[in-house]
Amino acid sequence: MSVAIENFVKAIYKNGKRDNNDTKPGNIAKELGISNAAATDMAKKLATKDLLNYKKYQELKLTDKGTKMALNVVRKHRLWEALLFKLFDMSLHDIHREAELLEHQTSDLLANKISEYLGNPKFDPHGDPIPNEDGEITTTDTSIPLSNTEEGKTYTISRLMSDDKEFFDFCAQNGLKYGNSILISKQFSKNKMTQILINNNTILLNQDFTSIIYVNEQD
């Protein structure tokens, strides 16, 4: 399959997992930086290949075949991210950018070798789950966005759901990394802001951040 097709089914899969669940062609077009007409044409083409179900003005739904393809690409992408992060200590933005290229050039054999080398990790450095070689995600996601946390409780950062360089630079500078602990010191509900304490530093985050930083409550 072409890079364009793999990126298209991956975008549908990833958008379907987000809170807004918007997989209409226009939203997929925005995600991929293509025109609405191009996205609609691609959707119609992939429907003939049994990769998705297309109905005019409706959200796009992957078939089992399409989902399998998407998970295979996601697996390779996240394994590359984990490998590059481990070997070269690259930034979260840089590993994402490189993995976008490498995922399409990677055989299933190489993906399995990378996974074995890394100890068959369950998560990538962003906290996103890595599908196994059968295309299955075996972990259960119980995380919640930072905006939904409670004052006075301590949480562990579980996912950083972005591909924006400035976001990752900010996170790196302030210790907002997968696995780190944070204390919720104040929720400003009216202004949609959250004040946290991390590494003895107080940080005030707006909704742009609190909606894409996911956490799990500590026991």
Side-chain angles (χ1 to χ4, degrees):
M1 291 293 179
S2 72
V3 171
I5 291 175
E6 290 184 341
N7 280 337
F8 201 86
V9 296
K10 185 179 72 168
I12 296 172
Y13 173 80
K14 291 178 69 176
N15 276 33
K17 293 297 182 181
R18 292 171 181 163
D19 289 340
N20 59 9
N21 284 324
D22 190 349
T23 60
K24 290 181 179 178
N27 202 48
I28 301 302
K30 182 179 179 181
E31 178 81 11
L32 296 174
I34 60 178
S35 69
N36 288 0
T40 299
D41 288 345
M42 177 64 86
K44 291 178 179 178
K45 175 183 176 181
L46 299 192
T48 66
K49 296 180 180 292
D50 192 33
L51 291 172
L52 58 82
N53 296 312
Y54 171 78
K55 290 184 180 180
K56 194 173 183 179
Y57 305 126
Q58 299 296 313
E59 293 185 350
L60 301 175
K61 302 291 185 183
L62 293 175
T63 61
D64 289 344
K65 181 179 177 181
T67 299
K68 182 178 180 180
M69 175 187 288
L71 284 167
N72 185 261
V73 179
V74 167
R75 168 176 166 79
K76 292 169 181 176
H77 179 99
R78 294 176 179 173
L79 283 171
W80 273 115
E81 288 187 327
L83 183 67
L84 294 172
F85 190 76
K86 176 183 176 66
L87 293 181
F88 305 116
D89 194 27
M90 296 167 65
S91 72
L92 294 182
H93 173 72
D94 286 342
I95 62 173
H96 174 76
R97 183 179 59 187
E98 295 300 324
E100 283 289 317
L101 302 173
L102 293 164
E103 65 190 29
H104 304 293
Q105 312 300 326
T106 305
S107 67
D108 292 343
L109 175 63
L110 180 56
N112 292 340
K113 290 296 184 181
I114 293 172
S115 183
E116 290 174 11
Y117 174 77
L118 294 170
N120 299 311
K122 301 289 187 181
F123 300 94
D124 72 10
H126 301 92
D128 294 322
I130 300 175
N132 63 21
E133 62 181 304
D134 296 320
E136 300 169 338
I137 292 177
T138 58
T139 55
T140 302
D141 184 11
T142 59
S143 60
I144 59 173
L146 204 55
S147 55
N148 292 352
T149 54
E150 297 181 33
E151 292 181 10
K153 290 190 175 182
T154 301
Y155 296 82
T156 301
I157 297 174
S158 58
R159 299 185 79 174
L160 301 172
M161 300 183 67
S162 176
D163 56 12
D164 180 70
K165 184 179 186 303
E166 285 190 353
F167 169 76
F168 287 130
D169 287 345
F170 177 88
C171 289
Q173 291 166 7
N174 290 279
L176 296 168
K177 298 179 180 180
Y178 170 68
N180 282 7
S181 297
I182 57 174
L183 172 68
I184 309 302
S185 52
K186 183 70 175 177
Q187 285 283 16
F188 297 92
S189 301
K190 183 178 180 180
N191 294 299
K192 298 180 179 179
M193 302 182 80
T194 302
Q195 183 174 289
I196 65 172
L197 181 66
I198 181 168
N199 298 332
N200 295 319
N201 292 321
T202 298
I203 306 172
L204 186 62
L205 300 171
N206 64 22
Q207 191 177 29
D208 290 340
F209 284 83
T210 61
S211 63
I212 57 177
I213 298 175
Y214 277 65
V215 296
N216 283 312
E217 184 178 346
Q218 293 185 2
D219 297 331

